[in-house]
Amino acid sequence: MLVLLPPSEGKAASGDGVPVALDRLSLPGLTAARGEVLDALVGLCRGDEDTAAEVLGLSPGLRGEIARNAGLPAAGARPAGEVYTGVLFDNLGLATLDAAAYGRAERSLLVFSGLWGAVRISDRIPPYRCSMGVKLPGPGALGAYWRGAMASELPEVADGLVLDLRSSAYAAAWKPAGEVASRTATVRVLQERNGKRTVVSHFNKATKGRLVRDLLVAGAEPKTPGELMDTLLGLGHQVELAAERTARKPWQLDVVVTEVH
Protein backbone atom coordinates (compact mmCIF):
# COMPACT_ATOMS: atom_id res chain seq x y z
CA MET A 1 0.00 0.00 0.00
CA LEU A 2 1.24 3.47 -0.89
CA VAL A 3 -0.32 6.39 1.01
CA LEU A 4 0.02 9.83 -0.58
CA LEU A 5 -0.06 12.70 1.92
CA PRO A 6 0.07 16.48 1.67
CA PRO A 7 2.75 18.27 3.72
CA SER A 8 1.91 20.73 6.48
CA GLU A 9 2.50 24.47 6.58
CA GLY A 10 3.62 24.02 10.18
CA LYS A 11 7.12 22.62 10.51
CA ALA A 12 9.58 21.89 13.29
CA ALA A 13 12.78 23.83 13.85
CA SER A 14 15.94 22.91 11.97
CA GLY A 15 17.69 19.77 13.10
CA ASP A 16 21.16 19.46 14.55
CA GLY A 17 22.40 17.11 11.87
CA VAL A 18 24.17 17.59 8.58
CA PRO A 19 22.46 19.49 5.74
CA VAL A 20 20.21 17.77 3.23
CA ALA A 21 21.94 15.48 0.73
CA LEU A 22 19.76 15.42 -2.37
CA ASP A 23 21.36 12.25 -3.70
CA ARG A 24 20.39 10.36 -0.53
CA LEU A 25 16.67 11.10 -0.66
CA SER A 26 14.13 8.52 -1.80
CA LEU A 27 12.91 8.58 -5.41
CA PRO A 28 16.35 9.30 -6.92
CA GLY A 29 14.82 10.12 -10.27
CA LEU A 30 13.72 13.43 -8.72
CA THR A 31 17.26 14.50 -7.69
CA ALA A 32 17.94 16.87 -10.58
CA ALA A 33 14.51 18.50 -10.29
CA ARG A 34 14.95 18.92 -6.53
CA GLY A 35 18.27 20.67 -7.11
CA GLU A 36 16.72 23.08 -9.59
CA VAL A 37 13.82 23.98 -7.30
CA LEU A 38 16.11 24.33 -4.26
CA ASP A 39 18.48 26.64 -6.15
CA ALA A 40 15.56 28.75 -7.40
CA LEU A 41 14.00 29.06 -3.93
CA VAL A 42 17.29 29.94 -2.23
CA GLY A 43 18.14 32.45 -4.95
CA LEU A 44 14.73 34.09 -4.61
CA CYS A 45 15.04 34.37 -0.83
CA ARG A 46 18.56 35.78 -0.98
CA GLY A 47 17.32 38.59 -3.21
CA ASP A 48 14.70 41.28 -2.65
CA GLU A 49 12.63 40.44 0.44
CA ASP A 50 9.44 42.04 -0.84
CA THR A 51 9.62 40.04 -4.05
CA ALA A 52 10.23 36.82 -2.15
CA ALA A 53 7.29 37.50 0.17
CA GLU A 54 4.99 38.15 -2.78
CA VAL A 55 6.06 35.04 -4.70
CA LEU A 56 5.75 32.80 -1.65
CA GLY A 57 2.50 34.40 -0.48
CA LEU A 58 3.84 35.31 2.95
CA SER A 59 2.10 37.66 5.35
CA PRO A 60 4.20 40.21 7.30
CA GLY A 61 4.23 37.88 10.28
CA LEU A 62 5.84 35.11 8.23
CA ARG A 63 8.71 37.08 6.74
CA GLY A 64 11.15 35.20 8.90
CA GLU A 65 10.54 32.23 6.60
CA ILE A 66 12.46 34.07 3.87
CA ALA A 67 15.69 34.03 5.88
CA ARG A 68 15.12 30.37 6.75
CA ASN A 69 14.71 29.49 3.06
CA ALA A 70 17.83 31.49 2.19
CA GLY A 71 19.85 29.30 4.56
CA LEU A 72 18.48 25.93 3.41
CA PRO A 73 21.72 24.56 1.90
CA ALA A 74 23.47 24.73 5.29
CA ALA A 75 20.46 24.09 7.56
CA GLY A 76 20.40 20.98 9.73
CA ALA A 77 18.18 18.24 8.36
CA ARG A 78 15.95 15.84 10.26
CA PRO A 79 13.57 13.04 9.22
CA ALA A 80 10.62 14.38 7.25
CA GLY A 81 8.29 12.62 9.68
CA GLU A 82 9.60 14.99 12.37
CA VAL A 83 9.62 18.10 10.17
CA TYR A 84 5.89 18.13 9.37
CA THR A 85 3.86 19.15 12.43
CA GLY A 86 0.41 20.10 11.16
CA VAL A 87 -3.01 18.70 12.08
CA LEU A 88 -2.80 15.58 9.92
CA PHE A 89 0.62 14.66 11.30
CA ASP A 90 -0.39 15.44 14.88
CA ASN A 91 -3.23 12.94 14.58
CA LEU A 92 -1.08 10.44 12.72
CA GLY A 93 1.28 10.53 15.71
CA LEU A 94 4.34 8.95 14.13
CA ALA A 95 6.44 9.40 17.27
CA THR A 96 4.04 7.27 19.32
CA LEU A 97 3.83 4.31 16.92
CA ASP A 98 5.49 1.08 17.96
CA ALA A 99 8.44 -0.20 15.94
CA ALA A 100 6.38 -2.44 13.67
CA ALA A 101 3.83 0.26 12.83
CA TYR A 102 6.58 2.84 12.30
CA GLY A 103 8.32 0.47 9.91
CA ARG A 104 5.10 0.19 7.94
CA ALA A 105 4.90 3.99 7.87
CA GLU A 106 8.42 4.22 6.48
CA ARG A 107 7.52 1.83 3.68
CA SER A 108 4.08 3.14 2.79
CA LEU A 109 3.89 6.91 3.39
CA LEU A 110 4.90 9.41 0.72
CA VAL A 111 4.62 13.12 1.54
CA PHE A 112 4.29 15.50 -1.41
CA SER A 113 6.17 18.81 -1.31
CA GLY A 114 6.53 21.93 -3.41
CA LEU A 115 10.28 21.90 -2.74
CA TRP A 116 11.21 18.19 -2.70
CA GLY A 117 8.54 16.73 -4.98
CA ALA A 118 7.81 13.83 -2.64
CA VAL A 119 9.71 12.29 0.28
CA ARG A 120 9.51 9.30 2.59
CA ILE A 121 9.16 10.04 6.31
CA SER A 122 12.72 8.82 6.91
CA ASP A 123 14.24 11.20 4.34
CA ARG A 124 16.26 13.88 6.10
CA ILE A 125 15.24 17.41 5.05
CA PRO A 126 15.43 20.87 6.63
CA PRO A 127 12.26 22.85 7.45
CA TYR A 128 11.25 25.16 4.58
CA ARG A 129 8.44 27.30 3.25
CA CYS A 130 7.35 26.63 -0.32
CA SER A 131 3.88 25.38 -1.21
CA MET A 132 2.95 23.55 -4.39
CA GLY A 133 0.95 26.61 -5.48
CA VAL A 134 4.07 28.79 -5.75
CA LYS A 135 5.42 29.96 -9.12
CA LEU A 136 9.20 30.20 -8.78
CA PRO A 137 11.50 32.08 -11.15
CA GLY A 138 12.95 29.39 -13.39
CA PRO A 139 10.91 26.26 -12.64
CA GLY A 140 7.64 28.21 -12.87
CA ALA A 141 4.41 26.86 -11.39
CA LEU A 142 5.51 23.99 -9.18
CA GLY A 143 2.44 21.81 -9.69
CA ALA A 144 3.11 21.73 -13.43
CA TYR A 145 6.87 21.52 -12.95
CA TRP A 146 6.70 18.39 -10.80
CA ARG A 147 4.29 16.62 -13.13
CA GLY A 148 7.08 16.05 -15.63
CA ALA A 149 9.53 14.67 -13.09
CA MET A 150 6.90 12.53 -11.37
CA ALA A 151 5.53 10.98 -14.56
CA SER A 152 8.21 8.30 -14.78
CA GLU A 153 9.14 8.03 -11.10
CA LEU A 154 5.81 7.53 -9.30
CA PRO A 155 4.38 4.60 -11.30
CA GLU A 156 7.51 2.66 -10.32
CA VAL A 157 6.67 2.84 -6.61
CA ALA A 158 2.86 2.71 -6.98
CA ASP A 159 2.82 -1.06 -7.49
CA GLY A 160 -0.10 -1.88 -5.20
CA LEU A 161 -3.06 -0.12 -3.63
CA VAL A 162 -2.71 3.68 -3.67
CA LEU A 163 -4.53 5.65 -0.96
CA ASP A 164 -4.51 9.27 -2.11
CA LEU A 165 -5.16 11.72 0.75
CA ARG A 166 -3.61 14.80 -0.87
CA SER A 167 -5.27 18.18 -1.22
CA SER A 168 -6.01 19.40 -4.75
CA ALA A 169 -2.88 21.58 -4.96
CA TYR A 170 -0.60 18.61 -4.29
CA ALA A 171 -2.66 16.19 -6.36
CA ALA A 172 -1.83 18.41 -9.34
CA ALA A 173 1.80 17.23 -9.19
CA TRP A 174 0.89 13.64 -10.08
CA LYS A 175 -2.41 12.06 -10.99
CA PRO A 176 -2.66 8.27 -11.12
CA ALA A 177 -3.64 7.23 -14.60
CA GLY A 178 -4.51 4.06 -16.49
CA GLU A 179 -4.14 0.84 -14.55
CA VAL A 180 -2.72 2.64 -11.49
CA ALA A 181 -5.90 4.73 -11.26
CA SER A 182 -8.02 1.58 -11.07
CA ARG A 183 -6.32 0.61 -7.77
CA THR A 184 -6.31 4.12 -6.32
CA ALA A 185 -8.76 5.38 -3.70
CA THR A 186 -9.36 9.01 -2.75
CA VAL A 187 -11.13 10.03 0.46
CA ARG A 188 -13.59 12.79 1.28
CA VAL A 189 -14.55 13.50 4.89
CA LEU A 190 -18.19 14.39 5.60
CA GLN A 191 -19.79 15.44 8.87
CA GLU A 192 -23.29 14.18 9.56
CA ARG A 193 -25.43 16.31 11.85
CA ASN A 194 -29.22 16.42 12.19
CA GLY A 195 -29.62 14.18 9.17
CA LYS A 196 -27.55 16.43 6.93
CA ARG A 197 -24.04 15.93 5.61
CA THR A 198 -21.50 18.66 4.91
CA VAL A 199 -17.95 18.54 3.62
CA VAL A 200 -15.44 19.03 6.41
CA SER A 201 -12.59 21.38 5.55
CA HIS A 202 -9.93 21.99 8.22
CA PHE A 203 -10.83 18.98 10.33
CA ASN A 204 -10.68 16.57 7.43
CA LYS A 205 -6.92 16.56 8.05
CA ALA A 206 -7.41 15.26 11.59
CA THR A 207 -9.71 12.50 10.37
CA LYS A 208 -7.28 11.45 7.64
CA GLY A 209 -4.42 11.37 10.14
CA ARG A 210 -6.38 9.09 12.46
CA LEU A 211 -7.47 6.91 9.55
CA VAL A 212 -3.86 6.32 8.44
CA ARG A 213 -2.76 5.68 12.01
CA ASP A 214 -5.44 3.04 12.44
CA LEU A 215 -4.28 1.26 9.29
CA LEU A 216 -0.65 1.31 10.43
CA VAL A 217 -1.39 0.13 13.96
CA ALA A 218 -3.63 -2.67 12.69
CA GLY A 219 -0.93 -3.84 10.28
CA ALA A 220 -3.53 -3.74 7.52
CA GLU A 221 -2.33 -4.54 4.01
CA PRO A 222 -5.36 -4.15 1.71
CA LYS A 223 -4.54 -4.94 -1.90
CA THR A 224 -7.48 -3.22 -3.61
CA PRO A 225 -9.76 -0.24 -2.95
CA GLY A 226 -12.54 -2.70 -2.15
CA GLU A 227 -10.38 -4.41 0.48
CA LEU A 228 -9.45 -0.97 1.85
CA MET A 229 -13.12 -0.09 2.28
CA ASP A 230 -13.77 -3.37 4.09
CA THR A 231 -10.71 -2.85 6.30
CA LEU A 232 -11.75 0.66 7.32
CA LEU A 233 -15.26 -0.56 8.12
CA GLY A 234 -13.72 -3.27 10.27
CA LEU A 235 -11.66 -0.65 12.10
CA GLY A 236 -14.83 1.23 13.04
CA HIS A 237 -14.91 3.93 10.37
CA GLN A 238 -18.14 4.74 8.56
CA VAL A 239 -17.12 4.47 4.91
CA GLU A 240 -19.25 4.60 1.79
CA LEU A 241 -18.56 4.41 -1.92
CA ALA A 242 -19.04 7.97 -3.18
CA ALA A 243 -18.66 7.61 -6.93
CA GLU A 244 -19.23 4.92 -9.51
CA ARG A 245 -15.90 3.29 -10.22
CA THR A 246 -14.54 2.34 -13.63
CA ALA A 247 -11.57 0.30 -14.75
CA ARG A 248 -9.42 3.41 -15.22
CA LYS A 249 -10.82 5.83 -12.64
CA PRO A 250 -9.92 6.08 -8.94
CA TRP A 251 -12.39 4.96 -6.34
CA GLN A 252 -13.87 7.80 -4.31
CA LEU A 253 -14.70 6.95 -0.71
CA ASP A 254 -16.64 9.04 1.80
CA VAL A 255 -15.65 8.78 5.46
CA VAL A 256 -18.59 10.02 7.54
CA VAL A 257 -18.04 11.45 11.03
CA THR A 258 -20.56 12.73 13.55
CA GLU A 259 -18.08 14.67 15.68
CA VAL A 260 -15.39 17.00 14.39
CA HIS A 261 -12.35 17.47 16.59
Side-chain angles (χ1 to χ4, degrees):
M1 179 173 63
L2 182 67
V3 182
L4 310 181
L5 299 176
S8 62
E9 293 293 339
K11 298 180 180 69
S14 296
D16 297 326
V18 297
V20 62
L22 298 183
D23 60 352
R24 299 189 67 178
L25 298 179
S26 302
L27 307 178
L30 302 181
T31 300
R34 287 167 173 150
E36 184 174 350
V37 176
L38 178 61
D39 287 346
L41 178 61
V42 171
L44 170 71
C45 292
R46 289 180 178 175
D48 181 72
E49 184 176 300
D50 289 340
T51 300
E54 182 178 359
V55 170
L56 297 175
L58 300 178
S59 65
L62 292 174
R63 290 225 171 184
E65 300 289 342
I66 297 171
R68 179 153 76 169
N69 281 348
L72 282 173
R78 61 197 303 170
E82 298 177 10
V83 169
Y84 298 113
T85 60
V87 174
L88 187 153
F89 292 89
D90 285 345
N91 284 270
L92 173 53
L94 290 169
T96 61
L97 294 175
D98 63 28
Y102 193 87
R104 288 188 283 271
E106 288 183 309
R107 295 190 297 272
S108 63
L109 304 187
L110 195 62
V111 185
F112 275 63
S113 162
L115 175 54
W116 313 112
V119 292
R120 300 284 189 181
I121 62 167
S122 57
D123 285 328
R124 299 184 67 87
I125 58 173
Y128 64 94
R129 187 80 177 205
C130 184
S131 71
M132 192 65 80
V134 165
K135 185 176 182 180
L136 283 179
L142 293 179
Y145 175 85
W146 283 114
R147 274 200 298 274
M150 297 280 191
S152 59
E153 191 73 5
L154 265 293
E156 294 296 318
V157 298
D159 57 356
L161 170 68
V162 178
L163 174 55
D164 190 352
L165 301 179
R166 297 171 296 166
S167 58
S168 58
Y170 290 89
W174 181 67
K175 295 183 178 181
E179 188 270 334
V180 178
S182 70
R183 46 186 168 81
T184 297
T186 62
V187 170
R188 180 176 62 168
V189 179
L190 301 176
Q191 181 185 17
E192 186 170 74
R193 179 180 292 176
N194 299 324
K196 296 182 179 180
R197 292 181 177 181
T198 56
V199 176
V200 179
S201 54
H202 174 73
F203 291 100
N204 92 93
K205 298 177 182 178
T207 301
K208 289 177 178 178
R210 290 192 290 269
L211 182 151
V212 175
R213 181 182 177 87
D214 287 349
L215 290 171
L216 295 172
V217 170
E221 294 288 348
K223 302 291 192 297
T224 67
E227 288 183 16
L228 171 67
M229 186 171 175
D230 291 341
T231 299
L232 292 174
L233 287 168
L235 291 172
H237 295 277
Q238 184 178 343
V239 186
E240 301 171 359
L241 182 63
E244 189 69 26
R245 60 190 184 275
T246 68
R248 300 290 178 177
K249 184 177 179 181
W251 288 48
Q252 297 178 50
L253 304 180
D254 280 346
V255 175
V256 183
V257 298
T258 55
E259 295 183 2
V260 178
H261 53 87

